[in-house]
Amino acid sequence: MRPAHLALAVCVAAVWGVNFTVIEIGLDHFPPLLFSALRFLVAALPAVFLVGRPKAAWKWIVAVGLVLGVAKFGLLFVGMDAGMPAGLSSLVLQIQSVFTAAVAFAVLGERPTRVRLSGMGVALAGIAVAAVDEGSSGPLGAFALVVAAAACWGVSNVLTRKAAPPDALNFMVWVSTVPVLPLLALSLLTEGPERDLAALRGLDWQGAGTVVYVAWVTTVFGFGAWGWLLRRHPASTVAPFSLLVPVFGMTSAAVLLGEPVTGLRWCAAVLLVAGVALTSVTLPGRGPTASGRTPSTRSGELSEAGTPSSSSGRVTAAARPAAWAARGSAAGRGRERATGGRRSARRPRSG
């Protein structure tokens, strides 16, 4: 990987990690469900008019939009609003790789290897340590909401595998159109029109900046850049950079918000990152599905801070951030060879 591409991969991980701190700041300006609705509204407009028609079936766009946009981000924003620290949220969400592997086994029949099962055990141990740390200093209910958000993320990953969208950014933009009205309706019902209107009337530059960051920087730039990298490098080269997300998340929260990073939290971070890495590893010649076939790069997961793919270059059953963009990379390289190296044009993130 060229130095510029390396810097871009680290930049995307930093953008996704800092996103949790930005969400925490935004929650001081907006009710959580309204904030989440605004995030998807701004991400969808005006981008939906620039990316072209949907390149995946509407049933998958709607399904992923509801599970990822409404359930996952709704639970995450409510959990953080209820007291879950930003840095810890960026870490705990990584357990989505375990949920992805479990759902893939139940729905797709993809059997995890012994290495992956070991990784799931290590990651769960990290969650247990994080729960002990949070239980001694914060509300366990908020912690449980973020874990539930990670579970919804795992379900959306498998749905996206089934959708197999050929264009990461196109899919994400159209998915962003789905949660807006459900989240607005939930906000009006649970947070109240008075609170929503007060937040909109009191909108200042800082509040508007948080919406722009979580929508355009995290989603449009993050997913676009990640997909661009996946078109030029193997998924196994790009995806490990996503393990930097909780590092940037915890560091930015400590520096910008003054969140303490306890010894237990560091222990949980080491266990979770190690477990997620093991969960996403596929050894050469290993990792078959129930049918005896190894998952191909035709499928992937939609994520904002996912986990690495296999060391052999195959996308694994565990979570890979935006790795479904790699589906088009092999075909793109084939077209380049067939046309003398000409690359076909393609239009290029957040918790």
Side-chain angles (χ1 to χ4, degrees), residues 108-154:
L108 305 178
E110 296 180 358
R111 298 175 181 174
T113 63
R114 291 183 180 180
V115 172
R116 191 171 295 159
L117 287 172
S118 299
M120 293 168 68
V122 173
L124 289 173
I127 286 293
V129 172
V132 170
D133 178 63
E134 181 65 9
S136 63
S137 59
L140 276 177
F143 182 92
L145 287 173
V146 176
V147 173
C152 293
W153 193 356

Side-chain angles (χ1 to χ4, degrees), residues 40-271:
F40 286 107
L41 176 63
V42 176
L45 298 175
V48 73
F49 300 109
L50 304 176
V51 298
R53 300 178 63 180
K55 298 180 181 179
W58 269 106
K59 65 178 181 180
W60 300 120
I61 293 174
V62 172
V64 174
L66 292 176
V67 176
L68 181 78
V70 179
K72 184 255 182 175
F73 279 103
L75 289 168
L76 173 63
F77 279 43
V78 171
M80 292 181 65
D81 187 63
M84 183 69 170
L88 188 58
S89 296
S90 72
L91 179 64
V92 169
L93 272 183
Q94 300 309 307
I95 199 67
Q96 56 91 13
S97 66
V98 175
F99 287 113
T100 301
V103 176
F105 171 71
V107 176
L108 305 178
E110 296 180 358
R111 298 175 181 174
T113 63
R114 291 183 180 180
V115 172
R116 191 171 295 159
L117 287 172
S118 299
M120 293 168 68
V122 173
L124 289 173
I127 286 293
V129 172
V132 170
D133 178 63
E134 181 65 9
S136 63
S137 59
L140 276 177
F143 182 92
L145 287 173
V146 176
V147 173
C152 293
W153 193 356
V155 173
S156 72
N157 285 340
V158 175
L159 289 172
T160 307
R161 279 175 57 82
K162 297 286 287 183
D167 186 327
L169 186 61
N170 176 279
F171 187 68
M172 185 60 201
V173 168
W174 282 102
V175 162
S176 296
T177 65
V178 175
V180 177
L181 292 180
L183 284 169
L184 284 175
L186 287 172
S187 179
L188 290 172
L189 289 173
T190 61
E191 296 163 348
E194 295 83 5
R195 187 181 176 192
D196 288 351
L197 288 173
L200 294 174
R201 290 193 188 104
L203 182 64
D204 57 17
W205 286 108
Q206 187 180 59
T210 61
V211 174
V212 170
Y213 185 94
V214 299
W216 290 350
V217 180
T218 299
T219 303
V220 178
F221 167 75
F223 278 107
W226 197 258
W228 186 88
L229 288 169
L230 284 168
R231 283 175 58 85
R232 287 156 179 80
H233 302 280
S236 58
T237 300
V238 178
F241 285 94
S242 64
L243 290 177
L244 295 173
V245 170
V247 176
F248 284 111
M250 295 177 68
T251 302
S252 64
V255 172
L256 299 177
L257 302 177
E259 288 186 5
V261 183
T262 64
L264 278 177
R265 194 163 297 180
W266 278 119
C267 180
V270 171
L271 289 171

Side-chain angles (χ1 to χ4, degrees), residues 24-47:
E24 186 73 33
I25 296 172
L27 289 171
D28 291 333
H29 297 265
F30 307 99
L33 294 177
L34 176 63
F35 187 23
S36 187
L38 292 174
R39 172 240 173 94
F40 286 107
L41 176 63
V42 176
L45 298 175

